């Protein structure tokens, strides 16, 4: 049995994984999909002080409180920052890092450094009435849709689960100074349909930090593949837990 810890991206909640979790568990594995501070059932905790460190704390606390080991840690989108920060702190408990259409930072980088267009969201939030709230991205025409979701029923459901993000999440730099983190194997899964203009993806280097060849898989769907292609995504994740 493997343990999968699925971490949602900006504006989302743990609910976005509800089609993947039962598929992993029915295959005999343990799957956890928490909502980060300020999202889902924890939306009432959103404040200007919630940042990347807060979310890394969420994941580290869950892993240590549940005494999880050999964790396959999956980060979607912004959560690539979160899983990197968490793995830096407890690398001995992480068996594999999965960057699911995700930001992949270097030490000292913020989300705005990894994806410069994010700075526009930061600037708008700082000029807004709240001074710190970043609302979800708007729905676009297909094939971009709402975070890559174009089915009307799915998009309507997804819309009910989204909430604002604190600007601090996009501003706070990640700390990646533990050499042991570099020994953790990595897999990158890219969603290759409907990527909005101006949101480029960093190329994956041919070699992982642990010296082995990089592993990059693709899914022919939009950004929120856990909603649009849950079976295909699960099949890829199960390869890591075999």
């Amino acid at each position: 049995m493997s343990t999968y810890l699925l971490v949602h991206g900006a504006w989302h909640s743990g609910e976005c994984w509800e089609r993947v979790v039962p598929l992993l568990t029915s295959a005999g594995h343990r799957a956890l999909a928490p909502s980060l501070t300020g999202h889902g059932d924890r939306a009432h905790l959103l404040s200007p002080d919630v940042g990347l460190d807060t979310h890394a704390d969420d994941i580290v606390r869950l892993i240590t409180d549940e005494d999880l080991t050999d964790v396959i840690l999956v980060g979607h989108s912004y959560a690539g920052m979160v899983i990197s920060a968490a793995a830096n702190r407890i690398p001995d408990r992480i068996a594999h890092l999965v960057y699911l259409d995700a930001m992949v930072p270097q030490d000292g980088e913020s989300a705005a450094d990894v994806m410069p267009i994010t700075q526009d969201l930061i600037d708008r939030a700082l000029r807004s009435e709240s001074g710190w709230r970043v609302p979800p991205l708007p729905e676009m025409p297909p094939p971009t849709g709402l975070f890559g979701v174009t089915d009307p029923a799915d998009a309507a459901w997804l819309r009910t689960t989204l909430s604002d993000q604190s600007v601090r999440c996009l501003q706070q730099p990640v700390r990646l100074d533990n050499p042991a983190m570099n020994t953790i194997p990595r897999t990158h899964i890219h969603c290759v349909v409907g990527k909005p203009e101006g949101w480029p993806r960093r190329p994956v280097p041919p070699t992982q930090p642990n010296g082995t060849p990089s592993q990059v898989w693709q899914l022919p769907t939009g950004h929120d593949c856990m909603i649009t292609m849950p079976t295909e995504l699960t099949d890829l994740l199960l390869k890591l837990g075999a």
Side-chain angles (χ1 to χ4, degrees), residues 97-120:
L97 289 170
V98 181
Y99 291 91
L100 178 57
D101 220 33
M103 298 181 179
V104 185
Q106 301 293 322
D107 184 34
E109 288 189 322
S110 68
D113 294 319
V114 178
M115 196 164 285
I117 196 170
T118 307
Q119 186 61 48
D120 181 57

Side-chain angles (χ1 to χ4, degrees), residues 24-61:
L24 291 171
T25 56
S26 66
H29 303 289
R30 185 178 184 185
L32 299 91
S35 289
L36 299 172
T37 299
H39 300 278
D41 58 354
R42 308 181 71 198
H44 62 287
L45 299 176
L46 186 65
S47 77
D49 295 327
V50 172
L52 174 60
D53 285 350
T54 313
H55 292 158
D57 288 344
D58 290 338
I59 299 306
V60 171
R61 187 179 304 111

Side-chain angles (χ1 to χ4, degrees), residues 179-219:
M181 181 190 169
N182 292 331
T183 66
I184 304 172
R186 302 181 176 194
T187 293
H188 303 261
I189 302 176
H190 294 164
C191 302
V192 296
V193 173
K195 199 159 189 69
E197 193 172 329
W199 294 82
R201 179 187 292 118
R202 279 183 171 175
V204 176
T207 304
Q208 299 187 52
N210 66 2
T212 62
S214 292
Q215 182 163 259
V216 182
W217 295 331
Q218 293 186 348
L219 285 172

Side-chain angles (χ1 to χ4, degrees), residues 151-236:
D151 177 84
D154 285 347
W157 169 81
L158 175 59
R159 204 174 296 115
T160 68
T161 72
L162 300 177
S163 57
D164 291 352
Q165 187 95 350
S166 169
V167 72
R168 186 169 174 79
C169 297
L170 307 178
Q171 293 175 311
Q172 198 164 39
V174 68
R175 183 177 175 184
L176 304 176
D177 57 358
N178 188 343
M181 181 190 169
N182 292 331
T183 66
I184 304 172
R186 302 181 176 194
T187 293
H188 303 261
I189 302 176
H190 294 164
C191 302
V192 296
V193 173
K195 199 159 189 69
E197 193 172 329
W199 294 82
R201 179 187 292 118
R202 279 183 171 175
V204 176
T207 304
Q208 299 187 52
N210 66 2
T212 62
S214 292
Q215 182 163 259
V216 182
W217 295 331
Q218 293 186 348
L219 285 172
T221 190
H223 186 55
D224 279 6
C225 58
M226 70 289 291
I227 297 171
T228 59
M229 278 194 167
T231 301
E232 294 82 355
L233 171 60
T234 302
D235 288 343
L236 293 181

